[in-house]
Amino acid sequence: MSVVRFLYVLVAAVIGGGAAEAVVAGTAPYRIHTLFSVECQNYFDWQTVGLMHSFRKAGQPGPITRLLSCTEQERKNYKGMDLAPTFEVPSMSLHPKTGDWYPAINKPAGVAHWLKHSKEAENVDWVVILDADMIVRGPILPWELGAEKGRPVAAYYGYLIGCDNILAKLHTKHPELCDKVGGLLAFHVDDLRVFAPMWLSKTEEVRADKAHWSTNITGDIYGTGWISEMYGYSFGAAEVGLRHKINDNLMIYPGYVPRAGVEPILMHYGLPFSVGNWSFSKLEHHEDSIVYDCGRLFPEPPYPREVKQMERDANKRRALFLNLECINTLNEGLLLNHEKHGCPKPKWSKYLSFLKSKTFGELTQPKQLTRNSLQMMEDVHEQKQDISEPEKPHPKIHTIFSTECTPYFDWQTLGLVHSFNQSGQPGEITRLLSCTDKDLKPYKGRDLAPTHYVPSMSRHPLTGDWYPAINKPAAVVHWINHVKTDAEYIVILDADMIMRGPLTPWEFKAAKGRPVSTPYDYLIGCDNELAKVHTRHPQLCDKVGGVIIMHITDLRKFALRWLHKTEEVRADMAHWPKKFTGDIYEAGWISEMYGYSFAAAELNLRHVISNDILIYPGYVPERGVKYRVFHYGLEFRVGNWSFDKAKWRHMDAADKCWATFPDPPDASTLDQSNDDTLQRDLLSIECAKSLNQALRAYYRKKCPDPNSLPPPTREARQRPSLMIPTQKAPDPPALRTPNHETAGEITTGKKFGKVEKIDVSGKDSEVNSETNELSPPAETNQAFTSMRVWMMYLWAFSITGFVVVMYVMVWSRRGQRKRGKPYKLKRRSSYTGLWDRNADMP
C-alpha cells in the first residue's frame, strides 16, 4: 500500500469509523459521504448490518453515516448504537405540530438536520443517499455516474404517476420539471443544502393532502399516502429547478431480470423475491431480533449449481444469481456481526462453509460499471439505440477561436487556453491568428497557443471596408481549407471566454444538421425585414452565437456561406439602424453575427439552443445550472471592484512578468443575505481569478522565480499589477447592447463635429457621421486613447497660453538675451515627465 493510500485509509478511519475499510477501490478525487436513514427498531438493525457489510465489501470510498431517528423512550432501550457510524436526529415519526404518524418523514428531516448540525457536512463535495434495505455491489462515484452540480443522478421510480397528473399541478409551480426518481440519489452538497428543506416541506404538504392519496392519483397501491416522502422529493426538486439525470440501470430489485449488458451496482430488496421454492420478504422480519440472536441467520437459499440446473436462459439465470447474492450478503454480514459481538463460534455447516468459500468471495467481489449501466434514460429515449449494437467511441472534437496580433487578444488567449486545459475538454485547441505582414513581424505572442496563421481581412481586400470582426468567419474558412483534421465536431469560441467544464456534442445533443449554440436574443433582425432581405428562409433564422458546436461536414458547407453573408450584411448600410438590427451604435458592427444566423438559415441548419452553456459575469445565474463558459464581454462588478475588458486594450500582459489584474474581493466578504446576488458575485469572482491564474501559469513557464531575484530597489518594491495609469482620465462607462454583449468591440465614443472617435480592436478608428464608414486605425501610444483626446487638446491649449504669457514677460525684461530658452525647457520638461511616468507604469 502506497503512503498516500495508507494516509487516506487512516483519515477515513478517523472520520468514518468502520468505513475506512471501504477504501479498497482507490482514493476518490473528491470528498464523498454516504447517508442512510433508520429508526431505533430491530427491523432497521438487520438492514443496517447488511448495508454496512456490503458498503465495506464493495469498496465505496469515503465515510458512511447512519441518520438514527429515535424517540426518547426508544433511545433508552436501544442497544444497536455500534452497528454503524451514527448521527442522531430528532424523531419526527409523530409530527410535532399535526400529530400525524408518518415515520417515512424522518428521511428528509434527518438529511436536513445532518446538513445543519454535522461537522462532517462541512467537509464534503458529494453526498450519496441510500435506503437501509439496499446492498451495495460496487463503488458509487457520483462524478463517474454523470452527476454534476445542478444535475443530481437518481434511479427511476416509474410508479410515481403523480408527476403526470393533478398531484404535481397542485404541489409544484413547475409540474413539467417533476422527475419520477428515488432510491439511489447522488448530489453535490451545494445542491443538497438548497434542496433538503424543500424536500421536507413538500413531504409535509403532500402528506397533509389526504384528498389526493388515492391509487389512481399517486400510484400507491395502498392509497394511504405512504409514499408522500417520495413525492415530496420529486416536487421539492422541481421547485428549486433540479433536473435529474435518470438512470434505470444502476439499481435493481431482486426478482427482476437485468438488461443485457448491464451490471447493477445496487440491489434494493423492497419487494419479495424467490429462487425456486425458496423466498424472502423483508416485511416478514419486521420485529426480527436476528442481529442479536447468536448463530441465527435467514433461511439459506439454493446453491449456485442448483440454479444452473433449474434455469437455462442465461439472463434469467443472472437474475436468480442476484437473488442469491442479496440474501447471502445479508447472512454473511450477520455472521460477521455475531462474531464481532462475542457470539460463540457456530457449528460447522455446508452453508457456513459456502459463505466463507473462495467461490462466494469471487461471486460477490466489487462490480464495475459497464457503459450500458451508465446510459441515462434521456439518452435511451432520444437515441433509441439498440443495446445489442457494439459500443461506439465518442467522436473526436477540436476547439478553435479567432484573434488578432494585438496585446488585447494576447491576455484573452492566455485566459481561454489555460481554462481549456483545466476544463477537461476533449481534443485539441487552435488559435486562428489573423495578422497583416506588418503586424506579424514585431509580434511577440507566437508561443501563447497552438496557432494557425491567417491573412488579415480587417481591411477588406475588395471594398476597402475596415471591419476586423470579419476575421472570425474568414479565419474559419482558411483553417477548414488548409488544415487536415480527423475531428468529427468543431467547437468555436470567442477569445474573451473562460471554460468551466467540457463542451461535448454528446452531452448537448449536437448532431449532423443540428449544431448547438447559445441564445443571442438581441439579434432582432431575425424577426424583421433584415432576415427577409438576406435569407430565403427567414423563418429558420436562429438568434444564436458565442459558443458553437458543429459537425465538421456542416462546417465545411457553412463556413464560406458565413463569410459571404457577413460581407453582404456589412455592405447593407441601409439596414444598419437599430430598428432593424438591435445595434445601438447603428454601425454595422454585429454584421458577422447576422452573417452566421442568415448563413445557417440558408443551409437549413436548425440549432439546439442551450441556456445552460454560457453566462456573462455580472448576470444572476439560473438555480441549479452549471454553466460551462464565462463570456466577459461586458463590464461586471462586485461591490466597489469592477472589471471591463475594454480598459485593458493596450496592456501588454503577455510581455510582462508576474503582472496580474486587480484581485476581486474575497468570497468570505460577500453579503450572504440574498442568494441570487451571492451566486452572481461568486461567479464574477471566479471569472476574474481564472484570468489571473492563467497569467501566473504563463509566467511560471517564461519568467524567473520572483523569490530568486535580487532585492528590489526602492522604486520597484511593489509587485507588478495591470493597473490603469493614474495620470489618465478615467474611462467613461462602456455602452452596451440592450441585453447582452457590447456591440462587437465598440466601447465608447466622443464626438467632435462630424467625426466620432471609437475604440475598435485595441486601436483608434474614425467614423464619419455622414457615411458611417470605419477608417483605418491611427497609430497611438498606449498612454493615450481616443477617449482622452479632448483632455490633450485642453492641456495643450493651457500650456500654449502659459508659454505665450511667459514669453511676453521675458521679452519685456531688458538685458536677458535668451528669452526663448525657459519656454523650450518648460515644454520639454512637461512632456518628458509625462512619458517617464507612463513608461514606469506596469
Side-chain angles (χ1 to χ4, degrees):
M1 180 181 291
S2 68
V3 174
V4 173
R5 185 179 171 86
F6 172 77
L7 290 175
Y8 187 87
V9 173
L10 182 62
V11 170
V14 173
I15 296 176
E21 301 171 29
V23 196
V24 296
T27 58
Y30 304 100
R31 299 169 299 177
I32 182 172
H33 203 113
T34 304
L35 303 176
F36 68 103
S37 176
V38 300
E39 300 161 45
C40 290
Q41 299 174 11
N42 289 336
Y43 178 59
F44 287 106
D45 285 355
W46 62 259
Q47 294 178 37
T48 295
V49 167
L51 177 59
M52 288 300 303
H53 174 59
S54 67
F55 176 93
R56 299 186 183 102
K57 194 167 185 175
Q60 175 71 4
I64 185 171
T65 296
R66 173 178 62 163
L67 305 178
L68 183 64
S69 302
C70 303
T71 64
E72 292 183 7
Q73 184 61 38
E74 289 173 334
R75 181 65 180 85
K76 290 178 182 179
N77 302 321
Y78 185 63
K79 51 185 178 180
M81 289 302 297
D82 64 342
L83 297 180
T86 299
F87 185 78
E88 295 187 62
V89 299
S91 175
M92 277 190 65
S93 296
L94 186 67
H95 197 282
K97 293 183 179 179
T98 66
D100 178 43
W101 179 257
Y102 183 55
I105 201 173
N106 285 315
K107 185 175 181 180
V111 171
H113 192 82
W114 179 79
L115 286 169
K116 186 175 182 180
H117 298 284
S118 173
K119 291 183 179 180
E120 289 181 317
E122 300 173 2
N123 298 292
V124 63
D125 300 307
W126 293 94
V127 179
V128 174
I129 303 175
L130 305 177
D131 289 338
D133 57 343
M134 290 180 170
I135 297 295
V136 184
R137 305 183 70 232
I140 303 172
L141 307 177
W143 52 93
E144 288 192 2
L145 303 185
E148 303 174 64
K149 193 172 182 179
R151 293 295 305 274
V153 165
Y156 182 57
Y157 271 7
Y159 56 84
L160 296 180
I161 63 173
C163 277
D164 300 326
N165 58 40
I166 191 175
L167 195 67
K169 296 176 182 178
L170 288 172
H171 294 289
T172 173
K173 290 176 287 188
H174 306 287
E176 75 283 359
L177 302 183
C178 184
D179 291 327
K180 301 176 182 179
V181 293
L184 168 62
L185 307 171
F187 265 93
H188 192 279
V189 70
D190 292 346
D191 295 331
L192 191 59
R193 290 186 188 281
V194 174
F195 164 70
M198 187 64 71
W199 181 9
L200 176 58
S201 176
K202 286 295 177 182
T203 298
E204 294 174 306
E205 184 180 313
V206 177
R207 178 66 182 171
D209 185 9
K210 294 184 179 181
H212 294 95
W213 281 5
S214 59
T215 303
N216 65 322
I217 295 177
T218 64
D220 178 7
I221 59 174
Y222 303 106
T224 58
W226 199 253
I227 58 176
S228 298
E229 172 270 317
M230 300 180 189
Y231 278 116
Y233 178 91
S234 293
F235 297 156
E239 282 293 279
V240 300
L242 285 177
R243 295 311 307 270
H244 293 81
K245 293 186 175 183
I246 307 174
N247 191 305
D248 199 26
N249 296 323
L250 297 173
M251 186 184 80
I252 193 169
Y253 287 86
Y256 282 40
V257 177
R259 296 184 178 93
V262 170
E263 188 67 80
I265 59 171
L266 195 64
M267 287 189 285
H268 190 182
Y269 54 92
L271 301 174
F273 58 96
S274 62
V275 180
N277 294 327
W278 175 94
S279 65
F280 179 83
S281 172
K282 69 172 188 175
L283 296 178
E284 295 177 358
H285 301 272
H286 204 279
E287 302 296 333
D288 201 328
S289 61
I290 193 169
V291 169
Y292 309 105
D293 297 344
C294 289
R296 191 162 70 86
L297 305 176
F298 293 117
E300 65 180 71
Y303 292 91
R305 65 173 180 272
E306 298 172 355
V307 171
K308 291 179 182 179
Q309 295 173 357
M310 69 174 66
E311 182 56 64
R312 294 183 179 180
D313 184 274
N315 221 34
K316 292 181 180 179
R317 190 162 62 241
R318 278 187 67 211
L320 295 179
F321 279 137
L322 286 174
N323 296 352
L324 297 182
E325 182 182 338
C326 179
I327 191 64
N328 286 333
T329 302
L330 280 171
N331 277 339
E332 184 183 30
L334 289 170
L335 191 66
L336 294 174
N337 181 71
H338 292 162
E339 181 179 334
K340 175 183 174 182
H341 286 85
C343 289
K345 186 176 181 179
K347 295 181 181 180
W348 180 92
S349 69
K350 180 180 177 182
Y351 182 57
L352 291 181
S353 179
F354 170 73
L355 292 180
K356 295 181 179 181
S357 69
K358 182 179 179 181
T359 300
F360 179 67
E362 292 175 350
L363 290 174
T364 56
Q365 62 184 353
K367 303 300 185 291
Q368 300 299 319
L369 289 167
T370 63
R371 184 167 180 175
N372 287 336
S373 299
L374 290 170
Q375 193 171 41
M376 300 297 170
M377 290 187 67
E378 57 189 280
D379 298 329
V380 175
H381 292 158
E382 293 184 15
Q383 298 173 8
K384 297 182 179 179
Q385 181 180 351
D386 186 353
I387 59 174
S388 63
E389 293 180 1
E391 295 181 357
K392 297 180 180 179
H394 286 312
K396 291 185 178 180
I397 307 172
H398 198 112
T399 303
I400 58 177
F401 66 103
S402 174
T403 70
E404 300 164 42
C405 289
T406 66
Y408 179 57
F409 283 106
D410 285 353
W411 61 258
Q412 294 179 35
T413 295
L414 288 174
L416 177 55
V417 172
H418 179 73
S419 67
F420 172 92
N421 293 329
Q422 298 292 315
S423 69
Q425 175 73 357
E428 300 175 352
I429 188 169
T430 297
R431 171 180 60 165
L432 310 182
L433 186 62
S434 300
C435 301
T436 64
D437 291 340
K438 181 180 178 181
D439 290 335
L440 187 57
K441 288 179 182 178
Y443 182 61
K444 301 177 182 178
R446 297 171 185 260
D447 66 336
L448 301 182
T451 300
H452 175 73
Y453 294 90
V454 180
S456 174
M457 274 190 66
S458 295
R459 178 181 285 284
H460 197 281
L462 299 178
T463 67
D465 178 40
W466 178 259
Y467 182 54
I470 202 172
N471 283 315
K472 184 175 181 180
V476 174
V477 170
H478 194 275
W479 183 77
I480 281 286
N481 290 328
H482 290 82
V483 173
K484 290 184 178 180
T485 178
D486 60 351
E488 190 172 341
Y489 282 91
I490 307 301
V491 176
I492 305 175
L493 303 177
D494 289 338
D496 57 341
M497 290 181 173
I498 295 292
M499 295 187 67
R500 306 178 69 232
L503 297 166
T504 59
W506 52 89
E507 180 175 359
F508 293 101
K509 313 306 177 191
K512 189 181 292 187
R514 291 281 284 169
V516 169
S517 193
T518 52
Y520 270 10
D521 294 329
Y522 57 86
L523 297 179
I524 63 171
C526 278
D527 300 328
N528 59 39
E529 182 180 332
L530 194 67
K532 296 176 183 178
V533 170
H534 292 289
T535 174
R536 293 169 296 173
H537 308 291
Q539 73 280 5
L540 302 183
C541 183
D542 291 328
K543 300 176 185 178
V544 294
V547 174
I548 301 162
I549 307 174
M550 188 176 287
H551 195 278
I552 187 68
T553 303
D554 295 331
L555 189 61
R556 292 187 191 281
K557 299 175 182 177
F558 169 77
L560 188 59
R561 188 69 61 93
W562 181 10
L563 176 59
H564 287 167
K565 284 294 176 183
T566 298
E567 295 172 308
E568 182 182 314
V569 178
R570 176 67 183 169
D572 185 9
M573 296 173 62
H575 290 95
W576 282 5
K578 179 181 176 181
K579 65 178 180 179
F580 297 116
T581 64
D583 177 8
I584 62 174
Y585 305 102
E586 300 189 338
W589 199 253
I590 57 177
S591 298
E592 172 271 315
M593 301 181 190
Y594 279 115
Y596 178 91
S597 293
F598 295 157
E602 284 289 281
L603 295 178
N604 195 24
L605 293 176
R606 298 312 309 270
H607 290 82
V608 178
I609 304 176
S610 174
N611 292 292
D612 297 346
I613 293 178
L614 179 147
I615 189 171
Y616 290 85
Y619 280 36
V620 175
E622 290 290 331
R623 289 193 176 187
V625 176
K626 182 182 179 182
Y627 297 98
R628 305 302 175 84
V629 172
F630 286 133
H631 192 181
Y632 53 92
L634 303 175
E635 181 184 22
F636 56 96
R637 297 177 176 274
V638 180
N640 295 325
W641 175 92
S642 67
F643 183 86
D644 182 353
K645 69 171 188 175
K647 293 181 179 179
W648 306 100
R649 288 183 170 276
H650 306 293
M651 300 307 297
D652 198 355
D655 196 39
K656 291 179 177 288
C657 276
W658 305 110
T660 58
F661 296 110
D663 286 325
D666 190 89
S668 62
T669 65
L670 298 180
D671 181 8
Q672 308 282 324
S673 59
N674 186 303
D675 188 61
D676 285 344
T677 302
L678 175 63
Q679 296 306 318
R680 177 199 68 192
D681 290 348
L682 287 174
L683 290 178
S684 296
I685 290 172
E686 180 187 337
C687 181
K689 285 188 174 181
S690 296
L691 285 170
N692 277 339
Q693 288 169 3
L695 290 172
R696 294 187 185 102
Y698 177 69
Y699 296 145
R700 281 194 290 269
K701 295 178 182 178
K702 63 160 282 194
C703 298
D705 187 344
N707 296 321
S708 65
L709 296 177
T713 63
R714 183 174 62 182
E715 291 78 10
R717 285 179 182 171
Q718 292 186 347
R719 188 177 116 213
S721 178
L722 297 180
M723 299 298 293
I724 302 173
T726 57
Q727 285 83 357
K728 294 183 181 181
D731 285 329
L735 299 175
R736 301 179 181 178
T737 51
N739 298 313
H740 286 279
E741 184 177 15
T742 303
E745 298 301 336
I746 301 177
T747 56
T748 57
K750 294 290 180 182
K751 292 188 177 180
F752 296 89
K754 293 184 178 181
V755 178
E756 182 181 3
K757 295 288 185 177
I758 300 181
D759 192 8
V760 180
S761 296
K763 300 179 181 180
D764 295 334
S765 301
E766 293 184 353
V767 180
N768 188 292
S769 61
E770 294 179 349
T771 64
N772 282 330
E773 289 183 352
L774 288 171
S775 63
E779 293 294 331
T780 63
N781 185 281
Q782 71 176 29
F784 299 93
T785 68
S786 59
M787 293 177 287
R788 299 173 180 81
V789 171
W790 67 275
M791 292 285 293
M792 292 178 60
Y793 288 166
L794 179 60
W795 185 37
F797 179 78
S798 300
I799 292 176
T800 302
F802 175 76
V803 170
V804 170
V805 172
M806 292 297 296
Y807 182 82
V808 171
M809 292 178 64
V810 172
W811 181 258
S812 65
R813 293 186 180 185
R814 296 182 178 182
Q816 296 185 12
R817 299 177 180 177
K818 298 180 180 180
R819 292 174 294 177
K821 187 175 182 180
Y823 160 67
K824 294 179 180 179
L825 289 174
K826 175 66 69 175
R827 185 179 183 186
R828 185 181 302 116
S829 175
S830 299
Y831 275 87
T832 304
L834 176 62
W835 287 114
D836 288 344
R837 286 194 296 273
N838 284 333
D840 289 340
M841 282 296 158

